[in-house]
Amino acid sequence: MTATTAPAVGSPLGRIEGPAKVTGAARYAAEYPVEDVVHAWVVQSPVARGTLDAVIVDPTTEDDDVLAVLWHGNAPRLEQPDDPELAVLQSERISYRGQAVALVVARTLEAARRAAQVIGLEITEEPHDTLLTADHPEIYSPEQVNPAFPADTRSGDVEQAFAAAPVKVDVTYRTPALHNNPMEPHATIAVWQGDDLVLYDSNQHPPGVAGAVGAVFGLPAERVHVITEHVGGGFGSKGSARPNAVLAALGARVVGRPVKLALPRQALFSMVGHRTPTIQRIRLAAERDGTLTAIDHEAVEHTSRLFEFAEQTTVATRHMYAAANRHTGHRLVRLDMPTPRWMRAPGEAPGMVGLECAMDELAEELGLDPIELRIRNEPRVEPESGVPFSSRQYLQCLREGAERFGWADRDPRPRSRREGNWWVGLGVAGATYPTMAQPSTARVRARPDGRYDVAVAATDIGTGARTILTQIAADELGVPVDRVRVRIGDSTLPKASVAGGSSGSASWGWAVTGACRELRRSGNDEAVYDSTEEVQQQEKDGKHAYGAHFAEVRVDADTGEVRVSRLFGMYAVGRVLNPRTARSQFIGGMTMGLGMALHEEGVLDPAMGDWVNHDLAEYHVPVHADIESVEAAWLSEDDRAVNPMGSKGIGEIGIVGSPAAIVNAVRHATGIRVRDLPVRLDKLLPYLA
Ligand code: MOS
């Protein structure tokens, strides 16, 4: 690095695409001006299980503007995809309510929507089963849970430890179905150029979408060009190709014109993957001094008839606390429901509700401060793998966070603080998220004017990835950030991993670092670096980010209304590459955690076989009025064992401990322990008087 250049990494650089976004110049998938484009609308199944026998288009309502009505009876045949949800309009089987069963393509959006509304579907309906229960007769154990963890782990003798323990907690926590609601719903414009396909598509992984959509049309990934310049949020729901991309391409092929398919928000609730509801039984056994002797955490979840997705709900429990006797497990039920998928911190977010609320219950049983209980069970090495930690500042997060939050002032007795009509309580919970990196390739070119072009097929889903990669490249090249131009969001750029698992900056930054170093070393004007070999040498366990979440809640003594007056997160996440974008990730995750604790729930009607709430009027996500004070801070940490930047992932850890901290604070405020999220006033009211 040249002596005159201050490091860019670590500075709060504003988003490079910020001006384009706030002036409306930034283009999202559905906004590209594509000539001759026509519009598609999806017809969704009105039943949860059965067969679609015929589709009838009433000639009296048929509109000249309608170009095609596609269903399994007339749609072109597709190659069998790895993901059965992408085999759209290929089978008479209906696997869930809301499944795409037909597609209308029309000259105008209005004509497409109108025709989809009046279409006749002849369906043979079959009895369905959509209700998850812990004693479901078809419950089974999957081999693995997402992405490739063993479903069960066991060590020691849990039953014996329970029989012998003087203090025990045996509780069941439930989390509801949750739905990804990015500001920008999923959208695709599909354009065929001969046998090559161009997709303007909103997703978290352009090369992955190119591969998956190409495969169903029998095309190699190179023949599919996916353009994903800007994305208005994803949270996992855009991590792989969704049916909209295939439907748009199918429609475009049939009508011979570009087709735009922008999903209405209602369709997101069944078509893009939700978070499974969970039923978690958690048992903790301890000595009277708080030393844990056994941890047993088992989750029951659902998957679909089409595809097995098993959320890794109890995997975080394998990393948190020492105990000689342990069991974690997952049980699944195949229901006539959409396939659950990734939603911000799949596994950790629901699983840490169970573990961290149960720890709070145990602390109360023991008469011990909940932070002290965690301190007494800090492991020296990873509890299940035995691998040493590359860095772990969990206790520092708890202690420093407690100091900043004012934990010492807390009277440990529940329902001990009243301010006017409010019961006030404080809660704490721990957080962890694995530190991951995936192979990626980056290219850097030195231009004659002294500028540098960096290219990698990454995506910025609103996190600030483009900005951070610019900072990383500037430091490695020893130039100011304004001499670096980063191109991302295009599948034809050097191959990059998914914007998921909080691994984007680590994975792409690693490749960008390698390419810049290679450029300087070689003295050439272009360098390409593929990180595969270096990334694969990394130890898999022992590398986590940690955090401690603190909440102050107020509960109205008469109405049971819950307000979160303060939410604070203290993190240890390696080197923070950009404090401004990092803070946004933390407080965004914490806000989403507040939604999980208090608001969000897919409300199932088992008779209809679907969730009854399908929009933001009835599925409540937090809005500004729900947020009073939400703040994040972090400890100094720089872990070069994890990647060349010394950074850990930050996109997901904010949602991990926040819900449990809030639930624990509600308990402290009111004396009421709600074990069934979300904590709504109807669950508090009967016990408030
Ligand atoms: Mo995140 S659920 O890994 O996109």
Side-chain angles (χ1 to χ4, degrees):
M1 198 180 294
T2 54
T4 51
T5 310
V9 168
S11 77
L13 184 65
R15 280 156 203 267
I16 285 163
E17 72 284 359
K21 282 184 173 169
V22 297
T23 56
R27 280 198 182 119
Y28 292 82
E31 298 178 328
Y32 281 81
V34 172
E35 212 173 306
D36 217 24
V37 74
V38 293
H39 302 266
W41 196 270
V42 179
V43 179
Q44 296 178 264
S45 172
V47 307
R49 183 183 170 107
T51 55
L52 174 63
D53 305 319
V55 167
I56 297 150
V57 181
D58 181 349
T60 63
T61 60
E62 212 172 345
D63 192 313
D64 282 350
D65 283 334
V66 175
L67 300 171
V69 177
L70 299 179
W71 59 293
H72 74 81
N74 66 2
R77 295 298 93 190
L78 298 172
E79 304 286 333
Q80 187 59 45
D82 292 339
D83 176 353
E85 295 265 16
L86 299 184
V88 292
L89 314 183
Q90 300 295 296
S91 163
E92 75 279 6
R93 282 304 313 166
I94 294 169
S95 301
Y96 56 88
R97 197 171 187 276
Q99 188 175 12
V101 293
L103 185 77
V104 179
V105 183
R107 288 192 179 84
T108 65
L109 177 65
E110 293 75 12
R113 184 170 55 190
R114 166 82 187 143
Q117 281 166 348
V118 299
I119 206 165
L121 303 176
E122 286 190 2
I123 288 172
T124 306
E125 195 174 353
E126 298 166 13
H128 62 250
D129 177 10
T130 56
L131 187 63
L132 181 67
T133 57
D135 59 354
H136 196 285
E138 286 166 41
I139 207 160
Y140 73 99
S141 299
E143 294 257 309
Q144 288 193 324
V145 294
N146 177 65
F149 295 109
D152 281 78
T153 58
R154 287 173 203 282
S155 51
D157 187 335
V158 164
E159 295 310 328
Q160 202 183 2
F162 270 95
V167 186
K168 288 169 254 204
V169 161
D170 180 353
V171 286
T172 299
Y173 276 81
R174 290 164 186 267
T175 60
L178 297 171
H179 296 276
N180 278 304
N181 270 289
M183 286 297 287
E184 181 206 16
H186 298 55
T188 309
I189 300 174
V191 186
W192 286 95
Q193 295 174 342
D195 278 338
D196 287 8
L197 179 60
V198 179
L199 297 174
Y200 299 91
D201 184 70
S202 183
N203 66 74
Q204 298 171 225
H205 193 203
V209 171
V213 177
V216 298
F217 289 97
L219 295 173
E222 309 82 69
R223 305 278 298 275
V224 182
H225 183 181
V226 177
I227 297 160
T228 309
E229 184 75 26
H230 298 290
V231 179
F235 309 111
S237 70
K238 297 174 181 171
S240 56
R242 302 287 75 229
N244 52 287
V246 181
L247 286 164
L250 202 57
R253 171 149 269 187
V254 170
V255 303
R257 291 173 65 171
V259 165
K260 180 191 294 195
L261 174 55
L263 293 185
R265 181 158 301 278
Q266 288 85 346
L268 267 56
F269 285 77
S270 47
M271 284 182 58
V272 304
H274 59 282
R275 193 198 298 281
T276 176
T278 69
I279 304 168
Q280 305 173 40
R281 183 175 178 201
I282 177 142
R283 296 192 297 160
L284 302 174
E287 304 290 358
R288 291 203 191 281
D289 68 357
T291 306
L292 284 167
T293 55
I295 302 173
D296 180 10
H297 192 182
E298 188 165 292
V300 178
E301 320 164 352
H302 84 79
T303 186
S304 71
R305 301 275 181 199
L306 282 174
F307 187 56
E308 183 184 89
F309 178 88
E311 180 145 346
Q312 69 274 39
T313 304
T314 69
V315 166
T317 298
R318 299 172 188 172
H319 302 275
M320 287 305 290
Y321 304 113
N325 305 288
R326 328 175 59 94
H327 169 242
T328 64
H330 301 81
R331 304 289 173 261
L332 276 186
V333 183
R334 289 187 197 282
L335 296 175
D336 301 303
M337 291 292 269
T339 312
R341 302 268 173 171
W342 300 322
M343 180 167 174
R344 206 173 199 169
E348 291 82 9
M352 288 290 275
V353 170
L355 179 65
E356 291 300 290
C357 289
M359 285 293 279
D360 203 64
E361 297 207 37
L362 179 63
E364 226 183 292
E365 286 287 324
L366 291 160
L368 201 60
D369 179 84
I371 294 176
E372 182 58 30
L373 174 63
R374 288 166 172 86
I375 290 169
R376 292 188 186 179
N377 290 287
E378 175 71 357
R380 286 182 301 104
V381 293
E382 262 232 329
E384 298 206 0
S385 68
V387 173
F389 299 107
S390 63
S391 53
R392 168 163 163 139
Q393 296 197 75
Y394 177 45
L395 299 190
Q396 291 89 330
C397 287
L398 285 164
R399 288 182 172 127
E400 177 69 20
E403 181 73 30
R404 296 193 192 197
F405 189 71
W407 186 258
D409 301 337
R410 176 183 185 262
D411 181 333
R413 294 167 303 157
R415 214 188 266 222
S416 57
R417 183 169 157 202
R418 177 85 177 237
E419 290 176 7
N421 216 43
W422 300 99
W423 291 113
V424 183
L426 305 185
V428 66
T432 190
Y433 195 83
T435 296
M436 295 183 275
Q438 299 169 75
S440 293
T441 302
R443 182 181 65 223
V444 57
R445 282 188 184 135
R447 290 153 40 123
D449 63 2
R451 291 168 191 272
Y452 295 85
D453 286 336
V454 176
V456 54
T459 38
D460 190 326
I461 61 174
T463 54
R466 186 183 277 104
T467 308
I468 286 152
L469 294 177
T470 304
Q471 293 172 272
I472 290 170
D475 283 1
E476 289 298 334
L477 295 165
V479 300
V481 289
D482 60 9
R483 280 172 57 193
V484 176
R485 194 180 62 178
V486 170
R487 278 197 64 209
I488 59 171
D490 188 313
S491 66
T492 60
L493 300 173
K495 200 166 180 155
S497 58
V498 63
S502 298
S503 68
S505 297
S507 308
W508 314 323
W510 196 325
V512 166
T513 299
C516 293
R517 287 181 184 173
E518 177 58 25
L519 187 90
R520 294 189 72 165
R521 184 164 50 229
S522 68
N524 296 338
D525 57 9
E526 177 174 321
V528 177
Y529 178 78
D530 176 350
S531 70
T532 304
E533 214 171 287
E534 269 192 51
V535 169
Q536 285 174 352
Q537 283 166 7
Q538 288 289 301
E539 183 90 54
K540 288 289 170 269
D541 285 311
K543 294 174 166 56
H544 273 235
Y546 293 92
H549 286 120
F550 296 83
E552 178 186 84
V553 306
R554 290 177 288 136
V555 179
D556 188 292
D558 294 319
T559 68
E561 176 189 356
V562 181
R563 305 287 310 175
V564 177
S565 39
R566 288 194 292 143
L567 199 52
F568 177 65
M570 189 78 222
Y571 301 96
V573 291
R575 193 157 64 123
V576 169
L577 303 173
N578 180 324
R580 189 187 322 203
T581 57
R583 176 179 176 275
S584 296
Q585 285 302 299
F586 292 133
I587 67 174
M590 291 161 70
T591 301
M592 210 162 162
L594 188 155
M596 188 172 167
L598 301 180
H599 306 151
E600 297 184 47
E601 176 178 18
V603 180
L604 184 76
D605 177 351
M608 187 172 71
D610 198 1
W611 298 290
V612 295
N613 45 350
H614 290 102
D615 56 41
L616 296 180
E618 296 186 325
Y619 181 91
H620 291 174
V621 299
V623 297
H624 279 101
D626 296 305
I627 305 301
E628 297 182 20
S629 163
V630 53
E631 275 309 330
W634 46 89
L635 300 170
S636 162
E637 192 173 275
D638 185 346
D639 186 344
R640 301 289 163 142
V642 298
N643 61 50
M645 289 78 62
S647 63
K648 298 178 179 176
I650 58 172
E652 289 162 278
I653 193 168
I655 194 178
V656 174
S658 301
I662 292 168
V663 174
N664 293 340
V666 169
R667 160 72 184 180
H668 182 236
T670 63
I672 303 165
R673 175 60 72 177
V674 179
R675 301 193 182 95
D676 172 21
L677 270 52
V679 181
R680 285 190 318 249
L681 52 80
D682 55 295
K683 298 175 187 173
L684 298 171
L685 265 178
Y687 310 100
L688 269 177

